[in-house]
Amino acid sequence: MSQYDYLVVGSGLFGAVFAHEAAKAGKKVKVIEKREHIAGNIYTKEVEGIQVHQYGAHIFHTSDKEIWDYINQFAEFNRYTNSPVANYKGDIYNLPFNMNTFNKLWGVVTPAEAQAKIEEQKAVLNGKTPENLEEQAISLVGTDIYQKLIKDYTMKQWGKECTELPAFIIRRLPVRFTYDNNYFNDTYQGIPIGGYTQIVEKMLDHDNIDVEVNVDFFANKEAYMAEFPKIVFTGMIDQFFNYELGELEYRSLRFETETLDMENYQGNAVVNYTDAETPYTRIIEHKHFEFGQQEKTIITKEYSKTWAKGDEPYYPVNNDRNNKLYKAYKNLAAQEDKVIFGGRLGHYRYYDMHQVIAAALQCVKNELG
Ligand SMILES: Cc1cc2nc3c(=O)[nH]c(=O)nc-3n(C[C@H](O)[C@H](O)[C@H](O)COP(=O)(O)OP(=O)(O)OC[C@H]3O[C@@H](n4cnc5c(N)ncnc54)[C@H](O)[C@@H]3O)c2cc1C
């Protein structure tokens, strides 16, 4: 019999929170991770004194005081406020869509003028119920914002025209009739000073936890299933079942990172490129997350792509077909009484960090009381 109570597959935030809480409750936990480092997609690495977000920009935000206090045990957070900008053919617009955006687009000054402009542009739909993403976007923000800031960006992100995408993808769009560039509505937000990796390091730093990286669960699935009394699995649920009901769809990303011999490349941490000609969706300039003053800077261009086996599955594609298939896998999972599925890939759900922490804490509660 194993000396461990749990095997946790994956050292991302879900696995790390579960392992940490189980260890605190006196359980022995082994964590295996197929990448060469811990922390999953929140991994950050210091290069030239700058914390580089290796798997895309991560900004922590929540309105839940308990989750905010929980994460603050593991790092001190700065006052970073997410205020991305959009670059459309060289013109810069503030996001989320707000009075600064409307002023730049139309010269309007008051909220009433902006609302009137949007109403006027929505009229092209003649009151029709939106049947696709294009119509949905126009019904929410009018034709100009759709054309310049949504249409091509969405196409790059999903690999499909807006007319081919379902309306539900953008049920709501962040639209604000104030001069406020803060992207999130949450009470708390920030970036951990010194990066995210330390958070997971501290979570896993416990006498009851052993961690092994460069270990893929599927290289020895049968043996793990036989040896461990319980397994928390945070990888792809369809892969766990050897895709026996079919493959779930994911979107993947490709990152191109460069160190530049200049202090400040784009003046903002996140710039979205919303035209069709630019092949990437955004450029991240990492130092601005921590108000860095280093002599050099590091930028990452982010490209969106269709997922194929072997790629990192960054985003679940929660359309009707995939949600139905996930439900069928969930039914299979319910019959595996040894295995608990969790996290973004185990639940096939786009969780933000605060949501994944909440889900992991709930899982611990269900498991350990
Ligand atoms: C580009 C991008 C930007 C994001 N930005 C934000 C943001 O700004 N704010 C926010 O709150 N959230 C953001 N998120 C979401 C955030 O990354 C997730 O909420 C969080 O990382 C999920 O943690 P997890 O443990 O579920 O998954 P993961 O971090 O994916 O961890 C799963 C781990 O399991 C490992 N694993 C998988 N299969 C196996 C196997 N067979 N054997 C061993 N190990 C395995 C993987 O290598 C991985 O390390 C973003 C996500 C992406 C992709």
Side-chain angles (χ1 to χ4, degrees):
M1 210 39 206
S2 170
Q3 52 163 318
Y4 297 101
D5 298 294
Y6 291 98
L7 173 71
V8 172
V9 180
S11 64
L13 205 45
F14 190 99
V17 169
F18 184 92
H20 180 76
E21 294 301 320
K24 269 194 349 194
K27 304 292 181 192
K28 290 273 296 170
V29 186
K30 177 157 185 169
V31 179
I32 57 168
E33 167 56 57
K34 72 174 179 187
R35 294 181 188 170
E36 62 184 19
H37 58 76
I38 58 165
N41 287 342
I42 69 170
Y43 177 72
T44 49
K45 183 178 171 185
E46 189 176 318
V47 184
E48 303 283 353
I50 299 165
Q51 292 296 328
V52 175
H53 295 211
Q54 204 92 348
Y55 301 95
H58 278 75
I59 300 116
F60 198 94
H61 59 98
T62 182
S63 288
D64 185 331
K65 173 94 167 58
E66 269 180 46
I67 298 292
W68 182 242
D69 289 344
Y70 186 84
I71 197 76
N72 274 269
Q73 298 173 74
F74 305 101
E76 189 183 339
F77 280 70
N78 69 17
R79 57 157 188 84
Y80 181 81
T81 301
N82 190 25
S83 309
V85 296
N87 181 325
Y88 179 76
K89 303 190 179 195
D91 284 335
I92 293 292
Y93 297 95
N94 286 104
L95 300 172
F97 312 131
N98 68 58
M99 287 305 298
N100 290 309
T101 330
F102 307 143
N103 177 266
K104 176 96 183 241
L105 269 170
W106 305 315
V108 296
V109 171
T110 66
E113 287 169 345
Q115 272 155 342
K117 195 81 189 169
I118 290 175
E119 285 305 316
E120 179 193 312
Q121 296 198 350
K122 277 158 69 166
V124 293
L125 290 175
N126 284 322
K128 182 178 175 224
T129 307
E131 281 172 12
N132 56 45
L133 195 145
E134 174 173 298
E135 292 173 0
Q136 176 75 349
I138 293 172
S139 79
L140 293 169
V141 289
T143 44
D144 284 346
I145 293 180
Y146 170 68
Q147 288 292 341
K148 293 187 172 178
L149 303 180
I150 297 175
K151 184 173 183 270
D152 298 328
Y153 185 79
T154 308
M155 200 260 294
K156 287 193 284 189
Q157 204 157 31
W158 292 89
K160 285 191 178 131
E161 295 288 345
C162 289
T163 46
E164 296 172 61
L165 288 165
F168 79 83
I169 292 181
I170 50 165
R171 245 183 223 120
R172 285 184 298 146
L173 275 172
V175 182
R176 208 173 273 159
F177 292 96
T178 56
Y179 288 92
D180 178 5
N181 296 326
N182 179 357
Y183 196 82
F184 296 121
N185 291 320
D186 282 320
T187 316
Y188 311 103
Q189 66 175 304
I191 299 283
I193 298 166
Y196 284 92
T197 306
Q198 60 173 328
I199 293 177
V200 174
E201 262 164 16
K202 288 181 202 162
M203 286 177 177
L204 297 179
D205 182 18
H206 194 288
D207 286 347
N208 287 350
I209 303 176
D210 292 327
V211 182
E212 265 187 69
V213 294
N214 289 316
V215 176
D216 190 332
F217 174 75
F218 294 109
N220 266 308
K221 182 179 173 191
E222 301 307 316
Y224 291 126
M225 292 293 281
E227 181 188 343
F228 287 86
K230 231 141 186 209
I231 295 175
V232 174
F233 181 82
T234 72
M236 291 157 62
I237 188 167
D238 53 347
Q239 189 182 13
F240 182 90
F241 293 105
N242 202 20
Y243 308 102
E244 66 181 73
L245 305 176
E247 285 179 25
L248 288 164
E249 277 178 278
Y250 303 87
R251 288 294 288 170
S252 195
L253 299 170
R254 185 167 64 80
F255 299 105
E256 264 175 23
T257 298
E258 309 165 58
T259 302
L260 304 178
D261 211 359
M262 62 170 76
E263 231 182 280
N264 188 359
Y265 174 72
Q266 62 183 15
N268 206 37
V270 182
V271 178
N272 291 359
Y273 283 78
T274 59
D275 62 294
E277 292 74 26
T278 309
Y280 38 85
T281 49
R282 48 185 185 167
I283 297 183
I284 309 303
E285 188 170 11
H286 301 269
K287 71 192 308 180
H288 296 309
F289 287 122
E290 294 196 57
F291 319 108
Q293 300 293 317
Q294 298 84 352
E295 281 175 14
K296 293 190 180 181
T297 194
I298 299 179
I299 61 164
T300 300
K301 291 177 181 153
E302 190 175 307
Y303 300 78
S304 183
K305 64 195 278 260
T306 307
W307 177 84
K309 274 188 192 159
D311 293 339
E312 283 295 340
Y314 288 104
Y315 300 111
V317 180
N318 289 107
N319 59 21
D320 287 349
R321 180 251 176 210
N322 293 323
N323 287 342
K324 231 166 131 185
L325 184 55
Y326 167 66
K327 234 174 150 180
Y329 276 119
K330 204 175 157 199
N331 289 337
L332 275 188
Q335 292 157 34
E336 288 281 351
D337 48 351
K338 237 188 184 207
V339 187
I340 301 167
F341 293 83
R344 209 172 36 97
L345 301 173
H347 286 168
Y348 195 66
R349 177 148 11 135
Y350 189 87
Y351 279 131
D352 268 335
M353 291 179 277
H354 61 292
Q355 295 164 318
V356 101
I357 293 173
L361 290 175
Q362 185 57 50
C363 176
V364 172
K365 220 171 168 181
N366 298 345
E367 195 51 24
L368 302 172

